[in-house]
C-alpha cells in the first residue's frame, strides 16, 4: 500500500494536482512513518514546495528531513536543497521589498497617469539608471517638452568608457 500511495502522489504532482500530491505524500509520511518510503515521502513534500516556489516551506521540510534521517542517501541532497531554498527565500523577500518600493514610487509620482507602467519604472530602477538620474529624468518629464534623456544629461554611464 505505501508504494501505491507514494506513486499516486508522484502522479498527482505530474498532473499538476499539487494539493492532492501534497496531501497524498503527507498521508503516507504520517500513516506509515516507520515504512522505508516515509523518508522519500517527506523529501517529496520538500520537492513539491520547492517546485511550486514555496521556498520557505521547502527549506523547513528539507531541514526536518536532514535532522530525522542524517544517514539516508538523500540526506546530503536535502541539506543542499535546504540551503538553496533558504537563499531563494531571501531573494524572494528582497524582490518583494523592491517591488513595494517601486510601487510606492509609481503611486507617489503619479506615473501611471503619465503612461508609465510598473514594469517600466522597475526596469529603469534596476537596469542601471541610478536613482538620482531617474529622479532628474522624471522631473524633466513633468516640466518640459524636450526629448527625454534617461542618462540624466550625462551620456557616459557610471563604470562605462
Amino acid at each position: 500500500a505505501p508504494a501505491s500511495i507514494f506513486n499516486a502522489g508522484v502522479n498527482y504532482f505530474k498532473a499538476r494536482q499539487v494539493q492532492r500530491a501534497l496531501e497524498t505524500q503527507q498521508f503516507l509520511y504520517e500513516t506509515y512513518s516507520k515504512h522505508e518510503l516515509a523518508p522519500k515521502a517527506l523529501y517529496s513534500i520538500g520537492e513539491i514546495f520547492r517546485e511550486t516556489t514555496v521556498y520557505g516551506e521547502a527549506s523547513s521540510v528539507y531541514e526536518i528531513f536532514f535532522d530525522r534521517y542524517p544517514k539516508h542517501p538523500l540526506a546530503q541532497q536535502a541539506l543542499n536543497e535546504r540551503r538553496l531554498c533558504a537563499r531563494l527565500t531571501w531573494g524572494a523577500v528582497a524582490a518583494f521589498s523592491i517591488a513595494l518600493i517601486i510601487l510606492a514610487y509609481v503611486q507617489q509620482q503619479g506615473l501611471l497617469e503619465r503612461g508609465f507602467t510598473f514594469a517600466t519604472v522597475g526596469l529603469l530602477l534596476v537596469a542601471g539608471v541610478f536613482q538620482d538620474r531617474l529622479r532628474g529624468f522624471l522631473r524633466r518629464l513633468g516640466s518640459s517638452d524636450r526629448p527625454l534623456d534617461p542618462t540624466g544629461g550625462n551620456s557616459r554611464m557610471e563604470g562605462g568608457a
Side-chain angles (χ1 to χ4, degrees):
S4 298
I5 296 169
F6 181 81
N7 291 332
V10 169
N11 290 332
Y12 284 136
F13 190 71
K14 286 179 182 176
R16 299 179 189 246
Q17 296 180 24
V18 175
Q19 189 62 38
R20 289 193 73 181
L22 191 58
E23 290 168 356
T24 302
Q25 297 300 14
Q26 286 174 333
F27 173 80
L28 171 61
Y29 182 72
E30 292 168 1
T31 306
Y32 297 96
S33 60
K34 303 291 184 206
H35 192 275
E36 66 183 23
L37 282 175
K40 278 188 83 172
L42 182 60
Y43 188 87
S44 181
I45 292 167
E47 287 183 310
I48 291 168
F49 282 128
R50 180 181 44 82
E51 291 292 322
T52 56
T53 69
V54 185
Y55 299 121
E57 292 295 328
S59 180
S60 297
V61 171
Y62 288 131
E63 184 172 2
I64 291 167
F65 182 95
F66 185 79
D67 289 345
R68 291 186 184 168
Y69 307 104
K71 295 180 187 207
H72 191 278
L74 292 172
Q76 188 59 47
Q77 183 66 28
L79 186 60
N80 294 339
E81 292 292 344
R82 188 201 65 77
R83 289 177 183 147
L84 174 64
C85 288
R87 282 194 301 270
L88 291 171
T89 297
W90 283 109
V93 168
F96 183 71
S97 297
I98 290 168
L100 288 177
I101 291 167
I102 294 169
L103 180 60
Y105 190 78
V106 166
Q107 290 174 336
Q108 177 188 21
Q109 299 297 318
L111 297 177
L112 294 176
E113 293 79 20
R114 294 183 187 171
F116 279 81
T117 65
F118 177 80
T120 302
V121 174
L123 287 172
L124 288 170
L125 285 171
V126 175
V129 177
F130 298 96
Q131 287 184 13
D132 58 325
R133 291 186 178 162
L134 179 61
R135 286 188 192 108
F137 170 72
L138 292 172
R139 264 192 246 94
R140 284 190 306 284
L141 174 67
S143 64
S144 172
D145 292 330
R146 66 180 163 216
L148 301 176
D149 179 4
T151 67
N154 180 4
S155 60
R156 191 171 161 201
M157 299 295 286
E158 242 88 42

